Amino acid sequence: MNEKPLWIPSAARVAGHPMTHFIQAAHEATGRTFDDYEGLHAWSIEDRGAFWSLLWDFSGIVGDKGERTLIEGTSMRKDRFFPDARLNFAENLLAGNGTDDALVFRGEDRVSYRWNWDELRTIVSRLQQAFRAEGIGRGDRIAAMMPNLPETVAVMLAASSLGAVFSSCSPDFGERGVLDRFGQIEPKLLVACDGYFYASKEIDIADKLGAISEKLAPRKTIVVPYVGDGAKAAAASHNGVSLAEFMAPYEPAPLTFERLPFDHPLYIMFSSGTTGVPKCIVHGAGGTLIQHRKEHLLHSGNREGSRVFYFTTCGWMMWNWLVSALAGGSTLLLYDGSPFHPHKSIVFDYVAEERATFFGTSAKYIDSARKFGLKPLESHDLASVEVIASTGSPLSPESFDYVYEAVKTDVHLASISGGTDIVSCFVLGVPTRPVYEGEIQGPGLGMAVDVFDPEGKPLRSGKGDLVCVKAFPCMPIEFWNDPGGERYTAAYFESFPGVWAHGDFAEWTGHGGIVIHGRSDATLNPQGVRIGTAEIYNIVEQFAEVAEAICIGQSWEGDVRVVLFVKLAAGADLTDELVKRLKEAIRTGASPRHVPAKVLAVKDIPRTKSGKITELAVREVVEGRPVKNKEALANPEALGEFEGRAELSV
């Protein structure tokens, strides 16, 4: 990797950043001098109680903090943050008022509208009253099968204002996928759209919604019109009613907020794996709020006046992360649909026209923009953009270079990594540090991140498992229907007893940054050497002939051999000559052990609903085992490409 930074923050930028102001606040609170981020981070994990307490005050969290910040237990799971606190998540997010933009929405080129803060408060007030009239209260579940609309945000806020628990997925999920998720949590209310737009097509979901709602049998199915007036979908649904009809009896009234314990349930989120029914991960209001305030304000610089955009759906945890930017008085820029329709630059159009200050997306989007040859540096005015964030999969070194060469030269490119399990990040952008090619800048404040070898010993160099060795506020409070906590413990604490193992394959860099090499459960292990799949993707996807790739380890003759599948670009063929060049590039760019034993062409590659390629599902098919949760996939038919391949039997 290049040892020369791609970007160094200017002195003026550092001086004005909330991170710098927080460093000064920490100095005043402790009397200690923090010369750099490393020193601040060390303090944040050494004295967690003092750090999180200061963060509560600094970020302006509304509520009663209580006397105690942290009760340390006998294990990570038994530590308790803010045990005496009382707060309400929605009260904190409804931070603004007046006629400034709160939510701006665009659905491809079909729909656009915006709500100011007063309009948002009005809708939340009417929904709050309607929910209360339906008997919704503390702990009741409200599920939403919705696009990334302003109405979805309002439903979540109204639910959490009453202490209800919100859960969401996107409307492109199949019937089985929705029931596998919402069926476990038995929502009292179901909120859904009548359809959605994708790739310039209109998709009606009335029949699917009818079937889902009949099986879930909620008190009401509330239909939000998007592609039409919603009448057909409401008529097809169990106890169906339009949003307008549901709110009609209620005029705007002053909002009320149930202040609840720090660990009161806020969200139920779902693992996206394909090896069984999704785990129902329950996140607490206080932990989610304080972690998101830290990441938005300190790491991302999102505050009052910021305009925050993340390309996401309601089936991905980045939606939950995005909406928390409201707590700082930021405007949310919401988008739903394909990022490349009706033309390839529609997302950059939106970012430029709405003067986004923070632009978040997936690594796959950046790589696709690069391959499409988009050069917004030349075609769009992105002067407002201060931060570009990337997640979902490791951002390749070439994509780092592309951002600075073709998107914007003076921008903080923050590759971030965490997940649904913590509804936030372990490692992410550090605004006071340089950006180096291929690296995530560092661990988040308060996150005691490390890399372990298989024996559970810290690795200062080399690849190992990403772990966290001390408790943090946004750990899940429980799994749904896991009263003894056995599934929770098995998910995170089985690999290294007492230590959170996140399931990422990672290594430290010489700059104190992190490189993620992919999921550790998808790690290749030929001849006992652990290899991250991202290392191979970064090489082969530079070939013009390769649109995308997926790599697995196949059990073979008592060992594991590497198998590479490639989806070819239009007009390309997988010739012997191309295979030879691919293998040689992998041998030279990675190592001889990375070289695949087989390189095979496929027409499509399976992805989860959140857009991540799924090596585990492919591995199961190749090994002749059933994929237990195909509904987690956006394109389950793609698995047929990998089944019974004669080439894999020799």
Side-chain angles (χ1 to χ4, degrees), residues 454 463-464 505 520 522-533 535-536 553 559-562 590-595:
K463 300 164 188 145
F505 195 45
S520 57
T523 297
L524 309 173
N525 203 26
Q527 300 175 51
V529 178
R530 303 176 83 196
I531 295 171
T533 53
E535 300 172 81
I536 294 176
D559 195 4
V560 173
R561 66 178 181 181
V562 179
S591 80
R593 296 184 187 275
H594 289 71
V595 177

Side-chain angles (χ1 to χ4, degrees), residues 477-488:
I477 57 174
E478 62 182 349
F479 284 179
W480 196 256
N481 291 329
D482 182 30
E486 290 86 0
R487 295 176 67 206
Y488 188 122

Side-chain angles (χ1 to χ4, degrees), residues 9 33 56 99 130 132 143 147 155 169 175 221 234 274 290 345 358 383 397 402 429 447 473 478 506 532 553 556 564:
T33 298
W56 177 301
T99 58
R132 193 181 282 123
V155 167
C169 71
E175 178 183 339
T221 302
T274 54
I290 198 166
S345 292
F358 180 99
Y402 165 75
M447 309 299 277
E478 62 182 349
W556 189 254
L564 174 67

Side-chain angles (χ1 to χ4, degrees), residues 394 418 421 502-505 516-524 532-533 615:
D421 310 84
H502 193 56
D504 280 338
F505 195 45
I516 303 291
H517 294 288
R519 296 293 293 170
S520 57
D521 50 12
T523 297
L524 309 173
T533 53
E615 292 117 331

Side-chain angles (χ1 to χ4, degrees), residues 6 56 73 159 171 188 236 262 310 318 322 352 395 406 421 434 441 466 487 504 522 524 552 554 570 608:
L6 294 171
W56 177 301
K188 288 190 174 180
F262 189 80
Y310 219 107
M318 292 312 302
L322 168 65
L395 187 65
D421 310 84
Q441 287 174 285
L466 184 74
R487 295 176 67 206
D504 280 338
L524 309 173
I552 66 161
Q554 180 194 14
T608 65

Side-chain angles (χ1 to χ4, degrees), residues 137-297:
R138 300 181 183 186
D140 292 332
R141 278 79 61 206
I142 294 179
M145 186 173 71
M146 286 284 287
N148 185 16
L149 298 176
E151 287 87 348
T152 314
V153 179
V155 167
M156 181 277 291
L157 291 170
S160 60
S161 74
L162 299 171
V165 185
F166 179 82
S167 190
S168 64
C169 71
S170 54
D172 59 344
F173 274 62
E175 178 183 339
R176 184 73 262 152
V178 177
L179 293 173
D180 281 349
R181 288 159 172 77
F182 294 163
Q184 296 186 68
I185 65 172
E186 302 173 298
K188 288 190 174 180
L189 296 176
L190 175 64
V191 183
C193 59
D194 57 348
Y196 60 97
F197 302 105
Y198 195 83
S200 302
K201 297 176 182 177
E202 181 180 309
I203 295 96
D204 181 287
I205 67 164
D207 292 342
K208 179 172 70 175
L209 177 59
I212 290 167
S213 63
E214 284 298 325
K215 291 181 175 68
L216 291 176
R219 292 179 183 177
K220 279 191 171 62
T221 302
I222 303 157
V223 176
V224 178
Y226 180 37
V227 300
D229 62 9
K232 177 185 173 186
S237 299
H238 179 85
N239 295 334
V241 60
S242 71
L243 176 66
E245 185 181 354
F246 183 67
M247 297 192 303
Y250 308 102
E251 294 296 322
L255 283 158
T256 60
F257 300 100
E258 293 280 336
R259 289 196 176 177
L260 299 160
F262 189 80
D263 283 339
H264 183 79
L266 169 70
Y267 292 134
I268 297 176
M269 305 181 70
F270 306 97
S271 62
S272 60
T274 54
T275 55
V277 175
K279 299 188 296 286
C280 302
I281 304 169
V282 185
H283 287 289
T288 302
L289 176 65
I290 198 166
Q291 175 79 339
H292 286 184
R293 291 296 292 128
K294 178 198 74 179
E295 293 183 350
H296 276 291
L297 182 61

Side-chain angles (χ1 to χ4, degrees), residues 343-354:
H343 58 83
K344 296 292 191 291
S345 292
I346 190 168
V347 165
F348 286 117
D349 291 351
Y350 185 43
V351 168
E353 291 164 14
E354 290 298 336

